[in-house]
Amino acid sequence: MSDVVVRHADGWAATVLHALATEYPSAAGHLALGPDDTDVRPAWLHPAFWGCLDWHSSAHMQWSAVTLLASGHLSRPTADALVDVLNERLTTPNIEVEVDYLRAHPGFERPYGWGWAALLASSVCRVAEAPGPLSDPAARWATALRPLADVIVEHTLAWLPKQAYPVRSGVHDNTAFGLGLLFDAASAFGRHDVASAIGARARDWFGRDRDYPASWEPSGSDFLSAALCEADLMRRVLPTVEFAPWLTGFLPGLASDGDNLLTIPEVLDRTDGKIVHLVGLALSRAAMLRPLAPFVDADAAARIAAAAAAQVDSALPEIDAGDFMATHWLVSFALLAEGA
């Protein structure tokens, strides 16, 4: 775990605890299926994934809790508080409600929330398998979460053949980002059928892409770089001998002097939920640039290292001391940026 995470672990954990306990404001994203299906009280509608404004943020902030616990860098009271929250949320009855909801709403949180929930489940399994004080509670969480992972796998395999085109946006519905998370989770679970299906679809959609116009990024509410999400997914699914020339063709100016993808996004209102997405863009850029450094020359790799560190530094004040529109989700992207 990086020095940045070690320094901020307790503060970020406190932010996770506060966000998970914040039931309102809430953005339910609920599609009512009839006149009796309009109760959107967060803790009632989603007993496992309430708080943090929305379902997907609750899922990935719980992933953050598990990741921080596994780091071993938390004080005992903070670690105990995170375990208590996860014990309350990740129970079999709670997850049964979430599974029923996903079966009734098969497009809900596709693919972003699917990816985070599946990654949470796979991370919990990894912690459960490691010796230590977390193995027993994590084993309970893993048992509870397995049916959720199973329904997400079912939905993914059913959806991929029907999705004719990828979504190349810089927000939640970006196809490449969600599939990257799902690929990692499926690989961890040993679901090579899912990883293979994702890899095949990624090749279909992105394998012939060339000369991406990186100078067009970002849009005004991006927290993802469409260019880097695509590159990060292809890094996962292509062997190195194929990925290196693909990357050169897709982003021929990557990490050159003046590369737009290395710049820190300008954020003019850090209390606006859409505009503050750009703080997260700095973190997601760092997270996806760093694994690309081995595929560029030494000078470009040095520019990536410097730019990624500057991107993270630019976001640090907002992660645990910003407005709730930032603090309800940024910890997760900071952890990704730091290699979690």
Side-chain angles (χ1 to χ4, degrees):
M1 198 63 67
S2 76
D3 289 343
V4 172
V5 176
V6 173
R7 290 198 310 271
H8 293 277
D10 264 25
W12 289 357
T15 299
V16 170
L17 289 166
H18 180 265
L20 285 169
T22 302
E23 190 167 6
Y24 296 98
S26 170
H30 174 65
L31 175 66
L33 300 179
D36 299 323
D37 184 27
T38 58
D39 189 341
V40 294
R41 289 171 295 164
W44 179 88
L45 191 64
H46 294 297
F49 300 122
W50 61 271
C52 299
L53 187 69
D54 44 40
W55 194 93
H56 53 258
S57 297
S58 185
H60 65 68
M61 288 290 263
Q62 290 182 58
W63 171 84
S64 298
V66 172
T67 301
L68 288 166
L69 283 166
S71 76
H73 294 296
L74 297 176
S75 66
R76 176 56 63 84
T78 302
D80 288 347
L82 288 179
V83 169
D84 287 346
V85 168
L86 294 172
N87 281 337
E88 293 171 2
R89 299 295 183 91
L90 303 181
T91 67
T92 295
N94 286 352
I95 297 301
E96 285 176 350
V97 174
E98 302 290 357
V99 168
D100 289 345
Y101 190 90
L102 285 181
R103 290 200 182 281
H105 302 81
F108 179 69
E109 292 286 357
R110 180 184 72 197
Y112 182 81
W114 290 2
W116 278 115
L119 197 66
L120 168 63
S122 66
S123 298
V124 163
C125 286
R126 184 172 61 250
V127 173
E129 292 166 359
L134 291 175
S135 60
D136 284 346
R140 295 193 300 273
W141 308 334
T143 298
L145 281 165
R146 192 61 199 233
L148 183 72
D150 288 343
V151 75
I152 289 171
V153 162
E154 292 171 20
H155 282 352
T156 301
L157 291 174
W159 165 61
L160 283 175
K162 297 185 291 186
Q163 184 74 24
Y165 310 105
V167 177
R168 301 174 186 266
S169 73
V171 291
H172 306 86
D173 54 358
N174 179 284
T175 307
F177 183 79
L179 288 185
L181 299 180
L182 287 165
F183 183 91
D184 290 346
S187 299
F189 277 130
R191 288 299 306 262
H192 302 299
D193 56 332
V194 181
S196 178
I198 291 170
R201 217 66 187 100
R203 286 173 177 267
D204 289 344
W205 286 327
F206 305 126
R208 293 176 295 278
D209 284 0
R210 296 291 183 272
D211 298 316
Y212 180 88
S215 63
W216 293 6
E217 294 190 16
S219 294
S221 59
D222 284 356
F223 65 91
L224 299 170
S225 160
L228 294 176
C229 287
E230 182 173 334
D232 204 39
L233 177 61
M234 296 301 276
R235 173 186 62 81
R236 290 169 166 95
V237 305
L238 292 179
T240 298
V241 293
E242 293 183 37
F243 177 67
W246 179 90
L247 181 65
T248 299
F250 178 60
L251 289 173
L254 178 63
S256 60
D257 282 329
D259 180 7
N260 191 55
L261 297 176
L262 273 59
T263 61
I264 296 170
E266 183 179 13
V267 187
L268 300 181
D269 184 348
R270 294 169 187 267
T271 66
D272 184 293
K274 295 292 188 181
I275 295 173
V276 81
H277 274 178
L278 292 162
V279 176
L281 176 62
L283 295 171
S284 69
R285 279 180 172 176
M288 291 183 270
L289 281 166
R290 282 169 163 158
L292 299 180
F295 300 96
V296 297
D297 64 41
D299 288 343
R303 284 191 286 271
I304 283 177
Q311 299 267 18
V312 172
D313 285 347
S314 75
L316 285 176
E318 304 300 321
I319 295 170
D320 54 9
D323 186 84
F324 181 68
M325 288 297 106
T327 60
H328 79 269
W329 65 287
L330 284 179
V331 170
S332 304
F333 281 79
L335 289 169
L336 289 181
E338 293 302 310

